[in-house]
Amino acid sequence: MNEQRRRIDETIEQIDFIRRGMLTFPIMAVLPTTIAGQAMAATPSNLAARVLPARTLPVPDTVSAAMQAVIAAPYPVGWDVIPRSAAEWKALASESAAAAAPFIAEIYRRFDIRVEKSRIGEVNVFTITPAEIPAANRNCTLLHLHGGGNVLYPGEAGAGEGMLMAGIGRYKVISVDHRMGPDFPFPASLDDATAVWRALLADHDPRRMAIFGSSSGGGLTLALMLRAKAEGLALPAAIAPGTPWVDLTGAGDSIMANAFVDNVLVANTGWAGAAATLYAAGHDLHDPFISPIFGDFSGLPPAILTSGTRDLFLSHTVRTHRKLRQAGIDARLQVFEGQSHAQYLDPFVPETEEAFSEIARFFAGVF
C-alpha cells in the first residue's frame, strides 16, 4: 500500500510539472491506466482556475463572407438586462418577435411554403408545407419545438426554424406554439409538446416522424423523449436537438470558455441564465424533465446534434452527444466553424442550408 501511495504521489508531481509548463510531452499517455486513474482521483477538487490574458479574437476567414459578417456583429442590445417583472419578460418576448420578423420575411421570400395556423391536441401549432414534397417524404411528418429560453419568440416568430426545414429539407413540418413563461412556466411547454405528440400518434406512423428544435427547443425535444418513455408513448424515428439547453444548472465548460465569445447569448449572466430560474419556477433544476442531461437516454431514437465553435452551449451539445453514445444510441455531431449560439438558423448565410441539408439527410436515412 505504501509503494502504491508513493507511485501516486510521484504521478501527481509529474502532472503538476505539466500544469506549470515544465514538461512538454503527454505524461498521462504513457502512464499505466490504473496509476493514471488513481492519480487523477487523488488530485484535489479545488484546482486552480486558468487565468487568460486579454486578447483580441479575430473574425475567422475560414467561413463564408456572409457568416463572417454575422460573427463580427456586436453583442445584442440588452443581452445583460434581466427582466424584473412579468411585464418586462413579456416586453422582451415582444422585442424578440420583432427582431425575428426580417428573418421570417427572408424565409418566405426564398422558399415556396404554405403556413397554416391551427390546433392539435388543444395546442396552437403552425403547419408548414412546401409547395413540392418529394415522393420519399410525402408520408413523413416532422415535429418542431422552437427555442427562446421558454419565454421568447411567440407565435409565428418561433416557427422560423420549422420553415427552414420545410423549405430546405422539403418535409411537412408541424411547429408547436407552446405556452411559455412568465405566465406558463414548467411544465407547460413540455405538457403542450406531449399533447401534440400524443395526438399525432393517433393518425401518424412514428416510424415516419422525427422531432427537432434548437436551444430550449433542443432541450424540450429531449425532455419530450424522456416524458414519452415514462408514459409509454411511441418514440419517433429520429431526433435533431440543436445546441440543446439540457442543463439549466449552468454547468459545462463552454459556459465559461465561450462567455463573451458567443455574440448571441454572450454569457450566462445575462437574461439567458435568468430564464432558467423563470422556467423552473421553483422546481429542482436537476429534474430530467427540466434538465434532460440528468435523465436516462437508453432507448432514445437516433440523433443528430448541431452547434458551433463559439456557441455558449457547445458543452451542452457535446455532453448530450457523449451521453447518447454511451447509451448505445446512433448519435451524430456537426459543429460549425466560428458560429455562436444557433447561428445556423440565419437564412442569410450559406451555412444554414448546409446544416439543414445534413439534418434532412439524416432523417431520410432512418425513415
Side-chain angles (χ1 to χ4, degrees):
M1 181 64 71
N2 290 339
E3 175 62 17
Q4 184 182 54
R5 180 69 254 179
R6 184 186 65 77
R7 293 173 70 190
I8 291 174
D9 289 343
E10 288 177 353
T11 302
I12 292 174
E13 289 179 6
Q14 289 175 313
I15 293 170
D16 189 54
F17 276 134
I18 294 174
R19 290 191 178 122
R20 289 184 281 127
M22 297 176 70
L23 291 178
T24 58
F25 57 90
I27 189 70
M28 294 305 292
V30 298
L31 290 172
T33 302
T34 55
I35 299 300
Q38 291 165 346
M40 295 309 292
T43 303
S45 60
N46 58 338
L47 299 174
R50 178 167 296 160
V51 178
L52 302 178
R55 67 194 192 280
T56 299
L57 193 62
V59 174
D61 60 5
T62 48
V63 298
S64 69
M67 192 70 236
Q68 289 179 45
V70 172
I71 293 171
Y75 300 147
V77 175
W79 74 268
D80 55 348
V81 177
I82 299 175
R84 300 298 180 185
S85 67
E88 290 182 3
W89 277 110
K90 291 176 182 179
L92 185 62
S94 295
E95 291 170 11
S96 73
F103 295 88
I104 299 296
E106 175 64 10
I107 293 170
Y108 274 119
R109 189 192 69 79
R110 284 188 56 195
F111 302 107
D112 189 359
I113 55 175
R114 184 176 73 255
V115 180
E116 299 174 295
K117 185 175 181 178
S118 62
R119 287 175 68 81
I120 296 177
E122 299 303 314
V123 178
N124 292 331
V125 301
F126 292 93
T127 300
I128 309 159
T129 310
E132 295 185 11
I133 301 178
N137 296 353
R138 285 175 191 163
N139 293 323
C140 302
T141 301
L142 308 184
L143 182 64
H144 170 241
L145 305 173
H146 75 81
N150 290 298
V151 68
L152 304 186
Y153 306 116
E156 192 179 61
E161 181 180 17
M163 295 177 191
L164 286 168
M165 177 56 78
I168 296 171
R170 293 196 292 169
Y171 285 102
K172 177 183 176 181
V173 175
I174 295 172
S175 181
V176 181
D177 185 18
H178 56 74
R179 293 170 296 163
M180 299 188 292
D183 292 338
F184 301 101
F186 175 81
S189 61
L190 180 55
D191 286 347
D192 286 355
T194 304
V196 174
W197 179 245
R198 184 181 290 108
L200 289 176
L201 288 174
D203 53 10
H204 291 74
D205 182 351
R207 295 170 299 179
R208 303 287 289 174
M209 290 195 288
I211 302 175
F212 70 103
S214 290
S215 193
S216 61
L220 188 56
T221 296
L222 289 156
L224 175 57
M225 294 301 90
L226 299 179
R227 177 80 167 268
K229 276 180 43 174
E231 296 189 6
L233 299 176
L235 302 182
I239 56 174
T243 181
W245 197 27
V246 292
D247 187 348
L248 275 64
T249 70
D253 181 61
S254 67
I255 298 297
M256 295 301 295
N258 279 348
F260 299 95
V261 173
D262 185 315
N263 69 343
V264 176
L265 296 178
V266 186
N268 211 45
T269 52
W271 73 264
T277 302
L278 180 75
Y279 177 61
H283 291 84
D284 184 358
L285 292 176
H286 294 86
D287 184 330
F289 291 150
I290 293 176
S291 296
I293 198 68
F294 299 112
D296 176 10
F297 283 6
S298 62
L300 264 57
I304 182 170
L305 300 101
T306 307
S307 186
T309 58
R310 297 191 179 194
D311 186 359
L312 195 70
F313 285 4
L314 176 58
S315 283
H316 288 333
T317 314
V318 169
R319 291 167 64 200
T320 301
H321 175 251
R322 292 314 314 157
K323 184 159 185 172
L324 286 164
R325 295 291 297 170
Q326 290 160 5
I329 308 304
D330 176 10
R332 318 288 175 85
L333 175 63
Q334 58 172 346
V335 180
F336 282 88
E337 173 81 337
Q339 292 192 19
S340 293
H341 185 64
Q343 285 181 325
Y344 57 86
L345 302 184
D346 188 327
F348 297 97
V349 300
E351 285 85 351
T352 292
E353 183 162 359
E354 182 180 355
F356 280 91
S357 294
E358 287 279 356
I359 297 169
R361 279 194 294 270
F362 182 79
F363 287 164
V366 297
F367 286 149

